[in-house]
Amino acid sequence: MKPLCAPVAALSLLTASSCLQAQDSREINSSPQPAQLGVIDVQGSAESDPYTATKAASGTKTDTPLMETPVSIQVVSRAVMDDQKATTIKDVLENVSGVRAQPSLGGTSGYLIRGFRTGNIYRNGLLTTPGSSLGDFDLANLESIEVVKGPAQLYGRTEPGGLINLNTKRGLDSPYYSIEQSVGSYSFYRTQWDAGGPITPGNEFQYRFSGSYQDNDSFRDFVSSDRLLLNPSVTWRPAPGTDITIDVEYQKKKALADFGIPVIGRRPADIPISRNLGDPNTPRGYQDTLMIGSEINHKLNADWAIHHRFLYTHGDSVNTFVNPAPAFNAAQAFNETTGIMQRNIFQQRSEQEVYSTNLDLTGKLDIAGTRHDLLVGVDYYRSHNLYGSDGQWVAPNPALAIDIFNPGPSYGIARSVFDSTLKTSSTALPRSDIYNQWHGVYVQDQVTIGKKLHLMLGGRYDWAETGRGRATTFSAATEALFNSTPSVIRKDQGFSPRLGVLYEFTPTLSGYGTWTTSFGANNAPAANGRTFDPQVGEQYELGLKAQLFESRLLGTLAAYKLTKDNILVADLNTADPNDRIANKQGSQGIELDLTGRVSRYLSLIASYAYTETKVIEDHAAGSPTKGNRLANVPKHSGSMSVRYDLNGQGAKGLSMGMGAFVAGKREVDLANTAQLPGYVRVDAFVAYSGWKLGSSRATAQLNVRNLLDTKYYESTDPDSNVAPRLGVYPGAPLTVIGSLRLEY
């Protein structure tokens, strides 16, 4: 794949962004907020760009400029989401270096950041869950997404690769209403709306109501989905310096589970990427997710403030598969010579309840000529997941075998076969209660010495409880969880320090270095029933931050070395897919991100990542994966998009742009048995904005994704539903979306 290196290197020098709604972003003015998590400062003057964020609170939980923060933080603004016509967070996180979805077909339940997978997503600073394997977060209600690279040490249950935090829309000072209709390839229909403004004179009460409805088929045979998102929010400002926000989010989704295509030899099978090896009669799965959140910010005086946040999440989902069997043994399930795949019917159900909250005190002090930005906080997290499995994912049904080269004769499984199979089970204890409880305290002091030297000193102490009760019913599983002797609940605790230093060489160039650690409890059994020690991570990072072209273009260049120990991976030597084995993995690399505007006419957003990964230690017998590369992580990856406004940024008229998304070859699994080939995907758009349609402002846009109709593969299953060699997820072919947006 050496030819990929040149285009990727070129990406590291350029960037681009579609700023189609630049004018609109300036016209929607939110009320000033006290320093709090999730509030970003996106520049919006005539000399700036709506893609460019100058502040992001996720890295420090304080109102600190990015140029003074010794952490690599990337912000994806609302303008990026609108211009790229993205619908889920997977779509826009392609713009951030070193971030990849895994898996990516049907529903995204995790992301690779700097080589390490995380399923944890934060919403307004609190941990939540996408709900199921069908889950990914819709973008209709988001104001921005922040990605903190490396261990986000101020938060519990984070992964060392990084943290993804979603900032939702809040109330507005001035009335604003918009509705957008999109139609596109594969029977794609999407309606998206946003409304907000003051409820009472003086802006004491403000509201926001955003959401979307989407119905679409897929490039994959007999796959379709529909989803509804509703997100009302109310903010009350009872006194100057005090605000209270309550928001509710509800999402309902129906979709067909899809595991992708298998590997033959060292490459994905040479079959059409549209081919589905499940069955058209498979019942569509569903997912319902409800979130209720609150946030209180109160300024005690000019320098000190308290912030309290709470989030309740309830997720309910059922997914039915006609999947390979045994699902996690590719050699037994699939004959690569004949093309015959053994299958059976399997169903999983999940009901999750998550409670998370924190309380922060922030303040400023001047001591002996130094300025101190202080943070002291506590947080609490508790989750229960009632997980059940029915049907057969181990033993195949010979009558359901399918020829991947001629699948037609095997399609059309009778409903009676589904019903009878789902009355059986592959495991003796098919019901589980998976429990996590976590609380921690943290402190941070950001010290400014003179005007150029910034120190970040902090630490967090965690107490964690994890456990899994298993039985034939949910009630018995809960009983086994809390009342087994000996107890199946493991208790861990640990301290995670963080040190950082940043020096401003000039007002537009800063250099920084950090040492950061992380702590994460493990919640899975070994084959012999024992539990595992906590996961621990450590990272060293050096970087540069620059403001170019009169501070219109922001760039971050980072070099890092990261290790993580006690990582749990599937133990393929046992029949139980829940059994795990631990290993130690490492990642090191260089990342570059650029966002902003070069001139009045040209805007850019770009990223490049060089990521070198390996398994440092494998605690399985014989260390079979030691020295191997981590799965689904390309050594070279990057993105570049260029937007050109014919009449200048912010002016009405014609805009056009083109982008490229690049990934080198990737290993299919930890055993490095096969590779996904590298690819370059090209996207393009053209838009006309600012014209009047009755009393509204209208924007018409045409987006083309995968303009050259490149055949490529995004990811593999990380042993979550099937073995990686059985679950390769193709990327979508040429896709066209047209949209019309009206704003009032």
Side-chain angles (χ1 to χ4, degrees), residues 394-412:
V394 176
N397 181 346
L400 301 184
I402 191 170
D403 183 347
I404 71 166
F405 299 108
N406 183 29
S410 298
Y411 288 155

Side-chain angles (χ1 to χ4, degrees), residues 510-524:
S510 300
Y512 71 91
T514 58
W515 170 67
T516 317
T517 60
S518 66
F519 174 88
N522 279 317
N523 191 349

Side-chain angles (χ1 to χ4, degrees), residues 4-5 8 608-611 629 633-638 662-665:
L4 281 176
C5 298
V8 172
Y608 168 72
Y610 169 80
T611 312
R629 288 186 57 83
V633 183
K635 182 177 290 188
H636 297 280
S637 62
V662 180
K665 62 185 179 182

Side-chain angles (χ1 to χ4, degrees), residues 1-2 4-6 8-9 11-12 97-100 112 114-115 558 560 586-592 607-614 627-639 662-668 672 675-679:
M1 297 305 300
K2 289 183 178 179
L4 281 176
C5 298
V8 172
L11 296 181
S12 68
S97 66
V99 179
R100 297 190 63 83
L112 295 167
R114 289 186 169 176
Y560 67 91
S587 171
Q588 60 185 0
I590 299 172
E591 295 174 344
L592 175 68
S607 67
Y608 168 72
Y610 169 80
T611 312
E612 185 67 65
T613 64
K614 69 176 180 178
N628 288 357
R629 288 186 57 83
L630 304 189
N632 284 288
V633 183
K635 182 177 290 188
H636 297 280
S637 62
S639 65
V662 180
K665 62 185 179 182
R666 289 137 289 145
E667 300 296 335
V668 163
N672 291 181
Q675 291 181 337
L676 303 182
Y679 66 87

Side-chain angles (χ1 to χ4, degrees), residues 469-730:
R470 307 178 71 185
T472 57
T473 65
F474 285 126
S475 59
T478 301
E479 176 71 18
L481 171 66
F482 291 108
N483 297 309
S484 294
T485 303
S487 175
V488 296
I489 295 177
R490 178 183 175 112
K491 298 182 179 181
D492 293 292
Q493 54 185 289
F495 176 66
S496 306
R498 177 168 74 166
L499 302 175
V501 58
L502 180 143
Y503 186 79
E504 297 182 59
F505 299 112
T506 70
T508 59
L509 179 65
S510 300
Y512 71 91
T514 58
W515 170 67
T516 317
T517 60
S518 66
F519 174 88
N522 279 317
N523 191 349
N528 59 7
R530 70 178 181 86
T531 56
F532 293 92
D533 291 336
Q535 299 179 16
V536 290
E538 182 178 37
Q539 177 182 272
Y540 298 89
E541 180 174 330
L542 295 174
L544 294 172
K545 297 188 176 189
Q547 293 178 314
L548 308 173
F549 298 99
E550 298 179 349
S551 299
R552 297 189 304 263
L553 184 70
L554 300 185
T556 300
L557 176 65
Y560 67 91
K561 184 174 183 178
L562 174 61
T563 58
K564 181 182 179 184
D565 202 0
N566 296 318
I567 300 171
L568 299 189
V569 297
D571 187 348
L572 301 181
N573 294 317
T574 73
D576 192 335
N578 299 301
D579 289 342
R580 293 292 186 264
I581 197 74
N583 64 23
K584 182 178 182 179
Q585 300 173 1
S587 171
Q588 60 185 0
I590 299 172
E591 295 174 344
L592 175 68
D593 289 90
L594 298 167
T595 305
R597 184 162 57 89
V598 174
S599 71
R600 179 185 174 191
Y601 303 97
L602 183 65
S603 298
L604 309 170
I605 183 170
S607 67
Y608 168 72
Y610 169 80
T611 312
E612 185 67 65
T613 64
K614 69 176 180 178
V615 178
I616 299 173
E617 295 290 343
D618 186 343
H619 300 302
S623 297
T625 67
K626 184 176 180 179
N628 288 357
R629 288 186 57 83
L630 304 189
N632 284 288
V633 183
K635 182 177 290 188
H636 297 280
S637 62
S639 65
M640 178 180 68
S641 298
V642 180
R643 172 194 172 88
Y644 189 81
D645 296 285
L646 268 67
N647 296 324
Q649 187 263 340
K652 72 176 183 179
L654 188 67
S655 303
M656 59 187 67
M658 184 169 289
F661 297 83
V662 180
K665 62 185 179 182
R666 289 137 289 145
E667 300 296 335
V668 163
D669 50 25
L670 277 179
N672 291 181
T673 63
Q675 291 181 337
L676 303 182
Y679 66 87
V680 178
R681 191 191 81 231
V682 177
D683 299 348
F685 79 92
V686 61
Y688 191 88
S689 62
W691 48 287
K692 291 289 186 178
L693 188 62
S695 61
S696 66
R697 301 184 308 275
T699 299
Q701 184 165 333
L702 182 70
N703 285 70
V704 182
R705 183 183 173 95
N706 198 356
L707 178 67
L708 304 180
D709 201 20
T710 301
K711 183 178 180 180
Y712 70 102
Y713 303 92
E714 291 187 334
S715 68
T716 63
D717 192 301
D719 276 312
S720 57
N721 290 309
V722 297
R725 288 185 64 90
L726 299 173
V728 174
Y729 297 160

Side-chain angles (χ1 to χ4, degrees), residues 1-77:
M1 297 305 300
K2 289 183 178 179
L4 281 176
C5 298
V8 172
L11 296 181
S12 68
L13 302 176
L14 292 175
T15 113
S17 274
S18 237
C19 324
L20 179 62
Q21 313 304 340
Q23 176 178 330
D24 304 330
S25 299
R26 293 195 298 274
E27 293 176 349
I28 307 174
N29 298 313
S30 296
S31 294
Q33 301 276 346
Q36 56 182 306
L37 185 68
V39 173
I40 65 169
D41 181 5
V42 179
Q43 298 178 0
S45 70
E47 293 301 315
S48 64
D49 189 279
Y51 282 16
T52 305
T54 59
K55 297 179 181 179
S58 294
T60 62
K61 288 196 173 187
T62 59
D63 191 28
T64 305
L66 290 174
M67 288 294 292
E68 299 177 9
T69 305
V71 179
S72 178
I73 304 172
Q74 309 307 319
V75 179
V76 182
S77 71

